Amino acid sequence: MNRFAFARPADLAEAVREAAADPGARFIAGGTNLVDLLKYDVERPSRLIDLTRLPGLNTIEETAEGGLRIGALVTNTEIAHDARVEKTYPLLASAILAGASPQLRNAASTGGNLLQRTRCYYFYDTGTACNKRVPGTGCPAIGGVNRIHAILGASEHCIATHPSDMCVALAALAATVHVTGPEGERAIPFAEFHRLPGDHPEIDTTLRHGEIAVAVELPAQGFASHHTYLKLRDRLSYAFALVSVAVGLEMDGGRVGQARIALGGVAHKPWRDTAAEDGLRGQKANAESFAALADQILASAVGYAHNAFKIGLARRAIVRALSQAAAGTPQSQTDKRIR
Ligand SMILES: Cc1cc2nc3c(=O)[nH]c(=O)nc-3n(C[C@H](O)[C@H](O)[C@H](O)COP(=O)(O)OP(=O)(O)OC[C@H]3O[C@@H](n4cnc5c(N)ncnc54)[C@H](O)[C@@H]3O)c2cc1C
Ligand code: SF4
């Protein structure tokens, strides 16, 4: 039994102070990931700081810029069924509804979803080595069982993927994460929030110790007319993505005006290639240009013993997601049947 202190701060300032004073402190929100990590003995916090009673973090508000600001304690269910999200950001609603189960989405918070840890089997098994869990011990996934692992942006120290669906849509929508911490407030562009493993796979994000994610801000542009979230997995429901694709397009007749494409299940962070996106601008919206884009995005992909199939799967998924989005046929129609 690992003993830990438990704190339930009344406001953000107190929560930041509690965390800053204790390097072993961890925040807890819905607990759907962290409690599992405690049970598996992966996380051994000296202090748990419960964020769930903090005021002002559980609302979705319109911003002066025409977007939405989603508080860190808003649940995944509340986002997915918010009328403004359904109307302007159906890509986000669709991605969230493709994740987990209704019960989990009722408990899972926006902040916790951003900060959830990888589902790499070795990471959860304290009987094995793992550079992410214990830096310097090695990465057994590289020569071991790696069906769910990364094909893009991995390092010799870690080939884990980020498991979130919501974050893939937020990457495509170019959201911003607002945080507050011991050194004040800052805003982090979504593309810079999660990091690649490099030499430090134990660090998932650019959040510093003691910083709390307080909100996610969506810009006005929601790609509501031409979007798709396509999630491919071993089961139709209640499974993490092997490959997922979030697409938002602005169409200009039969040509692409603007393209946003983010991939999930393939890297340590939601994967975007802005040069490839820019290259699609002005191109005809057809299978040839979408396949060329997929090849460009996947040019640096590397497969391991059990996950090389993901390269071809991702290529086909990109082409299908772009074709659906261009035609205005969102994958969310399917999601509504299975949620
Ligand atoms: C069986 C199962 C299936 C799942 N399937 C999917 C799926 O298909 N797709 C998917 O996307 N997700 C899936 N999930 C993951 C689920 O979405 C996450 O567990 C959930 O979003 C985490 O939110 P939480 O509020 O419960 O976080 P917690 O468990 O409370 O916290 C998770 C982490 O976030 C940190 N944290 C929480 N809030 C903040 C904050 N505001 N600021 C800073 N740090 C914070 C905590 O310290 C902790 O490290 C699944 C989970 C389970 C258990
Ligand atoms: S892939 Fe990353 S999380 Fe998985 S065993 Fe290797 S170091 Fe650990």
Side-chain angles (χ1 to χ4, degrees), residues 12 25-37 43 48-49 51-52 54 57 71-76 95-96 98-101 104-105 107-117 119 124 162-167 178-180 193 204 207-208 210-215 229 231 233 235 237-241:
L12 261 179
R26 294 284 181 278
F27 298 119
I28 185 162
T32 61
N33 188 212
L34 187 59
V35 172
D36 280 352
L37 292 167
E43 288 276 9
L48 274 191
I49 302 174
L51 301 179
T52 57
L54 296 183
L57 301 188
L73 290 175
V74 176
T75 66
N76 282 189
I96 289 174
S101 64
L104 281 159
R105 294 194 296 265
S109 67
T110 305
N113 196 306
L114 299 177
L115 274 300
Q116 63 174 297
R117 312 288 319 262
R119 309 307 290 200
Y124 285 78
H162 192 266
S164 170
D165 291 293
M166 182 187 88
C167 291
H178 292 274
V179 310
T180 189
F193 186 76
D204 291 346
L207 211 60
R208 301 172 194 139
E211 283 187 323
I212 300 174
V214 294
Y229 186 71
K231 178 176 179 179
R233 46 191 152 170
R235 290 187 303 269
S237 180
Y238 205 33
F240 290 92

Side-chain angles (χ1 to χ4, degrees), residues 104-326:
L104 281 159
R105 294 194 296 265
N106 288 343
S109 67
T110 305
N113 196 306
L114 299 177
L115 274 300
Q116 63 174 297
R117 312 288 319 262
T118 183
R119 309 307 290 200
C120 172
Y121 341 99
Y122 300 100
F123 177 69
Y124 285 78
D125 180 356
T126 54
T128 66
C130 169
N131 283 329
K132 186 179 278 298
R133 183 168 24 80
V134 186
T137 54
C139 174
I142 291 174
V145 180
N146 45 41
R147 176 173 160 76
I148 63 171
H149 290 76
I151 53 170
L152 288 163
S155 78
E156 60 182 308
H157 304 294
C158 179
I159 59 170
T161 56
H162 192 266
S164 170
D165 291 293
M166 182 187 88
C167 291
V168 185
L170 291 176
L173 291 167
T176 301
V177 184
H178 292 274
V179 310
T180 189
E183 285 148 39
E185 298 176 4
R186 62 192 181 111
I188 308 173
F190 207 80
E192 294 165 25
F193 186 76
H194 298 100
R195 55 184 299 286
L196 292 176
D199 292 339
H200 288 285
E202 73 280 11
I203 306 172
D204 291 346
T205 69
T206 51
L207 211 60
R208 301 172 194 139
H209 181 75
E211 283 187 323
I212 300 174
V214 294
V216 170
E217 186 174 334
L218 301 174
Q221 192 178 23
F223 301 97
S225 302
H226 295 280
H227 72 277
T228 283
Y229 186 71
L230 175 60
K231 178 176 179 179
L232 302 172
R233 46 191 152 170
D234 282 325
R235 290 187 303 269
L236 190 56
S237 180
Y238 205 33
F240 290 92
L242 289 168
V243 169
S244 69
V245 186
V247 169
L249 297 177
E250 292 292 345
M251 296 299 294
D252 185 4
R255 293 182 184 268
V256 175
Q258 191 186 358
R260 296 271 184 76
I261 302 143
L263 304 185
V266 297
H268 201 253
K269 61 188 284 186
W271 188 265
R272 266 188 76 191
D273 181 335
T274 51
E277 290 173 5
D278 290 345
L280 196 60
R281 193 186 286 268
Q283 300 279 328
K284 281 190 183 158
N286 59 28
E288 289 71 36
S289 58
F290 294 158
L293 175 83
D295 287 340
Q296 190 177 346
I297 292 173
L298 295 165
S300 61
V302 176
Y304 298 84
H306 308 111
N307 74 347
F309 74 95
K310 281 191 180 186
I311 300 174
L313 189 67
R315 187 179 188 277
R316 294 189 295 279
I318 292 168
V319 174
R320 186 168 126 200
L322 281 163
S323 304
Q324 285 182 188

Side-chain angles (χ1 to χ4, degrees), residues 5-72:
F6 185 78
R8 185 167 275 166
D11 57 33
L12 261 179
E14 190 184 336
V16 169
R17 269 199 311 277
E18 288 264 5
D22 185 349
R26 294 284 181 278
F27 298 119
I28 185 162
T32 61
N33 188 212
L34 187 59
V35 172
D36 280 352
L37 292 167
L38 297 179
K39 288 182 186 166
Y40 286 115
D41 207 23
V42 173
E43 288 276 9
R44 309 188 103 231
S46 50
R47 179 179 305 265
L48 274 191
I49 302 174
D50 179 11
L51 301 179
T52 57
R53 309 291 168 93
L54 296 183
L57 301 188
N58 60 355
T59 55
I60 302 180
E61 285 162 9
E62 284 149 45
T63 65
E65 293 73 31
L68 285 182
R69 185 180 163 105
I70 302 168

